[in-house]
Amino acid sequence: MSSPTASRPTAARELLDLLASMRFAITLLSVICIASVIGTVLRQSEPMGNYINQFGPFWAEVFGRVGLYTVYSAPWFLAILTFLVVSTSLCIARNTPKIVADLKSYKESVREQSLQAHHHKAIAELPSNPPMALAEIGAALTQLGWKARVQQREHGTMIAARRGAANKLGYLAAHSSIVLILVGGVLDGNAMVKVAMWLQGKQLYTGSGLVSDIKPEHRLSVANPSFRGNVSVPEKQRQGIAVLSLPNGVVLQDLPFDIELKQFRVDYYPTGMPKSFASDIVIHDGRTVREATVKVNEPVIHQGLAIYQSSFEDGGSKLQLKALPLAGGAALPLEGRVGTQMKFGDQTLELDGLRVINVENLANDGNASGADVRKVDLGERLSQHLGSGAKTSTDKALHNIGPSFSYKLRDAAGQAREYNNYMLPVELDGQKLFLAGMRETPAESFRYLRMPADENGELAGWLRLRQALAQPALRDAAARAYAVSATPPGQPQMAEQLQLTAQRALSLFSGAAAKPGDDAKDGKDGVRGGLPALSRFIEADVPEADRQRVSEVLLRILNGSLFELHQLARERAGLQRVATDAATQAFMTQAVLSLSDSLYYPAPMLLQLENFDQVQASVFQVARAPGQKLVYLGALLLIVGVFAMLYIKERRLWVWIAPSADPGGSQVRMAMSSTRESPDNAVLFAQLKAAILKERS
């Protein structure tokens, strides 16, 4: 038999090994937690183009190789999970027999001499004989909530009692919860979808088109045990296929039922912000028909599948459009549905979406536009021709600015620009403006052409002026009219010079004087007209010392000439001349800026939304999550286990009863141990001494 001294190095090594394994497990758990945070913050399973737009090509590829776009199914993440599950399961399997044996054992075979080695110990003489003392002590322990077992020996009686056995059960509960949560998380992740694809021989679909046209090799069977996908259902239609998005493509999931959308309902706050969403649906499951309402955070459960209200989109609204030529010509009526495409000149028009409610952070302080072309310094090069649609000079507030629609114009080479136009004029800085947005790529923000509304709240006044600017005869007539109105009565010789200067200013502004190569698309030298053309003219032909003065004079002549052009255009349309009041001045101030911007608008026509017949579509998230119950059970066990280990202490008590030297009396020796030492142990032991040994602290 080995001595206690010889066993100490072995026990120390075991303790060090245990601490080392705990540190390793905690490190792995920390990695899992960090990865889970990344998976929560970074949207998972998005198309690769979205990540390239967000992080750039280099970092998007680096993050993709690490697997951050599918964290929960990344090989390294699954390897760590597998190691933790296996190691924790082995730990449970190894310690469970010991814990069960310990729960059954009261350790009543402890020698009476060893009681003196405990921190909490006491000895006393009782007047009762041993049998009576045994009965009294047993009753006292039962009243205090202790469970005890008695062992009769040759020289006395040993009582072994304990309390707080649930502390050991807490260990099993906490470790079991880790296994359940990890397994449940894997069951509900993309790893199960990839396993199902491998078992069923399915492939990712990387193309585009209608869901109904995708071939069976890209569709998972109804028996797939775990998935989470989106189902888009337009009103009055039904759908029974979910789309499971992965970074490199999609795979379709057949559902055991069809979802029909009867009506999609949205409630709004007074500001126009959405308040709540709800979808009235009909579930067609064979011959069974079930009506239900899906709300945000209130899913419908059918056949073990949860149907969540995820979002909403356009379901194919019918749009009535008007194509407005900028350089002149009659407006062309167009009709189409969202999601379709049609020929548009030598390009293809793709109708992308309709938004009936647009809540923007805009202001309305009643002031006129803060932009005044008379204050523009043409000596400063203008590098950005289209401005932000929501750019104002005042504080902002939430407003619903009405419907808008988006579309793309795609050329023969497949390159497309995206447009977003608002149906109604938007009030910015006290002036009503029509907004026509454009961007080259989805990574950019929309830049807006801001066109002033006329006295009737329509775009016709600005468009009439824009078309007149493109006609040389009207420009010359406007220059003559300006020269007549601006020539001083006593200096008639100035009329010819003013007319020539006005013609030159209008020619430069309209782009008629542009030379081949002036419209280069390099950002700096791409000058086709507008205010940048006047700026280039002054920089090239006017000495630097005179540029400020010449800029002011040239702008004054341009403003006056454009005003006369506006009057001529109205006369040709059979309208009365406008008065030179504040409203006209505000209109012309914004018109000059927007006319300059319109020369850089990359399409010859503006598309204006005349009317629409809205069709809503709900986007449902349909999930079969068998691991969800495991995760909930694991969370419950984790709470119970941590509570048991932290707040329940296992305590053991031994009481040795032997005959005393005095006839008819008993000698009682007692000791107590605990899994953790704390001040309340001393309080409890004092209570036990008072109850058993009749001592007062």
Side-chain angles (χ1 to χ4, degrees):
M1 184 175 181
S2 61
S3 64
T5 304
S7 65
R8 285 176 186 170
T10 302
R13 282 196 298 271
E14 291 180 354
L15 179 60
L16 290 175
D17 293 342
L18 177 62
L19 292 176
S21 63
M22 288 179 61
R23 286 196 295 268
F24 184 61
I26 291 174
T27 301
L28 292 181
L29 281 174
S30 300
V31 173
I32 291 293
C33 292
I34 294 173
S36 299
V37 170
I38 295 174
T40 302
V41 175
L42 181 62
R43 297 189 63 177
Q44 301 289 285
S45 301
E46 291 284 306
M48 193 63 188
N50 293 1
Y51 298 119
I52 294 176
N53 293 336
Q54 185 175 359
F55 302 115
F58 175 78
W59 287 111
E61 183 178 357
V62 171
F63 294 158
R65 291 184 179 274
V66 178
L68 297 186
Y69 307 142
T70 53
V71 169
Y72 305 114
S73 59
W76 57 267
F77 187 86
L78 295 178
I80 296 176
L81 285 184
T82 302
F83 179 83
L84 286 175
V85 169
V86 172
S87 61
T88 307
S89 300
L90 291 176
C91 184
I92 295 173
R94 184 183 65 179
N95 289 291
T96 297
K98 299 178 182 179
I99 293 175
V100 172
D102 190 65
L103 290 174
K104 295 179 179 180
S105 173
Y106 282 76
K107 298 184 179 180
E108 65 272 17
S109 299
V110 172
R111 294 183 300 170
E112 61 271 18
Q113 292 85 354
S114 65
L115 301 184
Q116 289 297 112
H118 289 78
H119 177 70
H120 299 286
K121 59 183 181 294
I123 186 171
E125 298 285 338
L126 295 182
S128 307
N129 58 31
M132 293 181 60
L134 176 61
E136 293 172 357
I137 294 173
L141 291 176
T142 301
Q143 185 178 3
L144 293 174
W146 291 77
K147 293 182 179 181
R149 184 174 294 177
V150 178
Q151 185 184 67
Q152 294 291 343
R153 300 180 185 176
E154 182 180 357
H155 304 293
T157 303
M158 177 65 75
I159 302 176
R162 75 171 180 200
R163 193 169 73 176
N167 176 270
K168 292 248 183 336
L169 296 177
Y171 172 88
L172 294 178
H175 284 70
S176 300
S177 69
I178 295 176
V179 175
L180 291 175
I181 291 174
L182 295 180
V183 172
V186 172
L187 289 178
D188 291 348
N190 285 337
M192 295 302 296
V193 175
K194 294 181 179 179
V195 171
M197 291 176 60
W198 177 71
L199 292 176
Q200 300 176 27
K202 305 299 182 180
Q203 301 175 354
L204 280 177
Y205 181 73
T206 58
S208 60
L210 298 176
V211 171
S212 58
D213 296 335
I214 299 179
K215 297 181 179 180
E217 57 263 29
H218 307 295
R219 296 171 64 161
L220 295 171
S221 71
V222 178
N224 187 14
S226 175
F227 62 87
R228 187 180 298 271
N230 292 329
V231 182
S232 178
V233 187
E235 286 182 331
K236 311 303 180 183
Q237 298 184 34
R238 52 195 285 184
Q239 181 61 272
I241 300 175
V243 179
L244 313 184
S245 297
L246 297 172
N248 297 322
V250 300
V251 63
L252 302 186
Q253 173 64 58
D254 288 327
L255 303 178
F257 51 81
D258 287 351
I259 303 174
E260 177 187 352
L261 179 62
K262 292 177 60 179
Q263 184 182 11
F264 175 76
R265 294 179 281 110
V266 187
D267 294 330
Y268 296 94
Y269 289 105
T271 59
M273 289 289 290
K275 182 178 181 181
S276 64
F277 313 107
S279 297
D280 296 327
I281 65 173
V282 179
I283 300 175
H284 298 270
D285 188 358
R287 296 183 179 180
T288 303
V289 177
R290 175 188 174 189
E291 295 190 1
T293 299
V294 184
K295 299 180 181 179
V296 177
N297 299 325
E298 295 183 20
V300 172
I301 310 298
H302 186 79
Q303 286 195 13
L305 274 72
I307 305 173
Y308 299 90
Q309 179 70 59
S310 176
S311 62
F312 63 95
E313 61 186 14
D314 193 275
S317 298
K318 183 178 180 181
L319 306 182
Q320 297 179 12
L321 307 174
K322 183 188 294 184
L324 306 174
L326 293 177
L332 302 175
L334 294 175
E335 286 190 0
R337 288 191 176 273
V338 172
T340 62
Q341 56 187 27
M342 65 184 74
K343 292 298 294 181
F344 189 71
D346 57 351
Q347 296 180 310
T348 300
L349 172 63
E350 301 175 1
L351 300 177
D352 287 345
L354 169 71
R355 294 190 60 174
V356 177
I357 301 294
N358 287 278
V359 178
E360 299 289 348
N361 204 5
L362 305 175
N364 179 11
D365 62 352
N367 296 326
S369 173
D372 187 348
V373 294
R374 292 172 297 178
K375 299 179 181 178
V376 175
D377 182 9
L378 293 185
E380 181 180 352
R381 184 180 298 274
L382 302 177
S383 61
Q384 193 77 13
H385 305 300
L386 296 176
S388 167
K391 185 178 181 181
T392 67
S393 60
T394 61
D395 295 334
K396 299 179 179 180
L398 291 176
H399 291 284
N400 173 25
I401 59 176
S404 67
F405 76 106
S406 58
Y407 61 96
K408 293 187 182 74
L409 288 179
R410 191 176 301 274
D411 59 22
Q415 300 297 320
R417 289 189 178 95
E418 188 175 357
Y419 298 83
N420 185 62
N421 296 352
Y422 287 86
M423 179 179 182
L424 303 175
V426 180
E427 188 166 348
L428 298 174
D429 293 337
Q431 187 174 12
K432 291 184 177 181
L433 305 173
F434 285 91
L435 302 180
M438 185 278 300
R439 62 183 179 186
E440 298 286 346
T441 65
E444 301 177 359
S445 299
F446 279 105
R447 294 178 294 151
Y448 284 88
L449 177 62
R450 312 197 315 172
M451 301 160 286
D454 59 19
E455 66 274 13
N456 298 320
E458 298 176 352
L459 187 60
W462 180 87
L463 184 64
R464 191 185 306 115
L465 178 58
R466 174 65 178 81
Q467 293 176 347
L469 183 65
Q471 300 181 35
L474 284 179
R475 291 199 304 269
D476 292 342
R480 287 194 299 271
Y482 171 75
V484 171
S485 63
T487 301
Q491 299 177 335
Q493 69 276 8
M494 293 183 58
E496 182 178 359
Q497 183 61 39
L498 281 175
Q499 180 177 342
L500 292 175
T501 304
Q503 288 176 334
R504 179 62 173 168
L506 288 175
S507 178
L508 288 170
F509 188 79
S510 66
K515 300 177 182 178
D518 285 350
D519 58 347
K521 299 178 181 179
D522 58 0
K524 291 185 178 180
D525 297 328
V527 176
R528 284 171 280 180
L531 297 176
L534 270 68
S535 175
R536 169 176 286 189
F537 166 74
I538 292 175
E539 289 178 356
D541 296 347
V542 178
E544 184 174 0
D546 298 330
R547 288 177 184 174
Q548 180 67 29
R549 178 180 58 82
V550 173
S551 295
E552 294 177 357
V553 173
L554 193 59
L555 277 174
R556 191 177 302 112
I557 294 174
L558 175 65
N559 289 341
S561 300
L562 288 174
F563 179 74
E564 295 297 337
L565 183 65
H566 178 52
Q567 299 284 33
L568 290 174
R570 290 180 61 88
E571 289 178 358
R572 289 190 58 180
L575 301 176
Q576 295 182 352
R577 294 174 63 90
V578 294
T580 55
D581 53 13
T584 301
Q585 181 181 359
F587 174 86
M588 290 303 303
T589 298
Q590 183 60 44
V592 172
L593 296 175
S594 56
L595 288 173
S596 176
D597 288 346
S598 70
L599 297 170
Y600 299 88
Y601 193 73
M605 292 188 179
L606 277 174
L607 289 185
Q608 188 176 29
L609 180 62
E610 291 287 298
N611 205 349
F612 58 86
D613 183 10
Q614 186 185 22
V615 177
Q616 291 276 31
S618 277
V619 179
F620 301 105
Q621 185 180 87
V622 181
R624 178 181 284 157
Q628 186 179 43
K629 295 181 180 178
L630 292 180
V631 173
Y632 288 159
L633 178 59
L636 178 62
L637 288 179
L638 182 62
I639 295 172
V640 172
V642 171
F643 180 85
M645 289 191 296
L646 292 180
Y647 297 102
I648 298 178
K649 298 178 183 177
E650 184 188 24
R651 297 183 175 94
R652 292 183 179 270
L653 179 69
W654 294 272
V655 181
W656 171 253
I657 305 174
S660 67
D662 296 335
S666 301
Q667 184 186 59
V668 179
R669 179 179 299 169
M670 60 182 294
M672 187 185 75
S673 68
S674 176
T675 52
R676 293 192 312 275
E677 189 58 42
S678 60
D680 59 336
N681 287 339
V683 176
L684 177 61
F685 191 71
Q687 180 185 9
L688 290 171
K689 287 195 298 182
I692 296 175
L693 304 182
K694 310 301 181 183
E695 292 186 2
R696 301 297 179 186
S697 57

